[in-house]
Amino acid sequence: DAKTTQPNSMESNEEEPVHLPCNHSTISGTDYIHWYRQLPSQGPEYVIHGLTSNVNNRMASLAIAEDRKSSTLILHRATLRDAAVYYCILRVSGSARQLTFGSGTQLTVLP
Amino acid sequence: NAGVTQTPKFRILKIGQSMTLQCTQDMNHNYMYWYRQDPGMGLKLIYYSVGAGITDKGEVPNGYNVSRSTTEDFPLRLELAAPSQTSVYFCASSSTRQGSTEKLFFGSGTQLSVL
């Protein structure tokens, strides 16, 4: 499976935008980019996914580089409830095996 | 919506004991998974299933067994508990209908300690 690289930790102030980066230089043309987050003492939850174009949903935006070797998860206004570990994952097209989780980015939101 | 339900939430085992972690989902998903998460680490896939009667090994299957007799249930069995199996276990499910875009739904986890 293709690997992803994320910073171990990031900090943000409450109500400010947060940009969480992810590098995936070995991505293949049909791999989808998925983001999940894990709140303290909970299971991971889906945030967003994309293939080539930028994507928006009620939780976040996903910006994908033109060469697809990197992507950025954007939280437009961080709240204290957004403090979590964020995982960037490549979903191998056509594979029944599920997502491989790295160690993710621990996001701390400061009041 | 119940989603993915795991029981128990916490359990302490003695070395050599056995137990079954239960997982059930009410979303009619074909795919189900078991992950473990050690402190400060990401999730590692133990076993997965693409449908009733079909299971396959993931990244770390040693010491575990699974079965999938129904679409809804996917229990994980520990036969001879070892301290190395102390971890948080997550069950997840997903639909196959959307190909590579399908998202996983996770349970709330089982905290297992083997002493």
Side-chain angles (χ1 to χ4, degrees), chain A residues 41-85:
Chain A
S41 301
Q42 295 188 27
E45 64 174 343
Y46 168 84
V47 177
I48 200 166
H49 74 274
L51 183 62
T52 56
S53 303
N54 295 344
V55 184
N56 300 297
N57 67 20
R58 65 174 181 81
M59 291 181 70
S61 296
L62 176 60
I64 302 172
E66 195 168 338
D67 63 5
R68 297 205 338 119
K69 294 184 184 301
S70 66
S71 61
T72 302
L73 179 70
I74 302 166
L75 307 180
H76 295 287
R77 289 184 67 214
T79 70
L80 297 178
R81 288 175 295 180
D82 291 322
V85 178

Side-chain angles (χ1 to χ4, degrees), chain B residues 36-83:
Chain B
R36 60 176 286 172
Q37 185 174 35
D38 298 332
M41 307 294 287
L43 281 74
K44 294 185 178 180
L45 183 64
I46 305 172
Y47 270 96
Y48 67 99
S49 169
V50 299
I54 306 170
T55 63
D56 206 350
K57 296 178 181 179
E59 184 182 359
V60 290
N62 291 344
Y64 307 94
N65 280 302
V66 293
S67 60
R68 185 94 182 271
S69 58
T70 66
T71 298
E72 295 78 19
D73 301 308
F74 191 40
L76 177 71
R77 179 80 176 167
L78 283 71
E79 292 293 350
L80 292 171

Side-chain angles (χ1 to χ4, degrees), chain A residues 36 38 87 91 93 98-99, chain B residues 33 35 37 42 100 102 104:
Chain A
Y36 283 74
Q38 187 174 21
Y87 297 99
R91 177 74 169 94
S93 176
Q98 244 317 324
L99 310 174
Chain B
Y33 311 86
Y35 287 90
Q37 185 174 35
S100 294
E102 70 270 10
L104 271 74

Side-chain angles (χ1 to χ4, degrees), chain A residues 1-5 22-27 88 90 100:
Chain A
D1 290 344
K3 301 287 186 200
T4 62
T5 305
C22 181
N23 288 321
H24 28 78
S25 59
T26 60
I27 191 171
C88 168
L90 300 183
T100 299

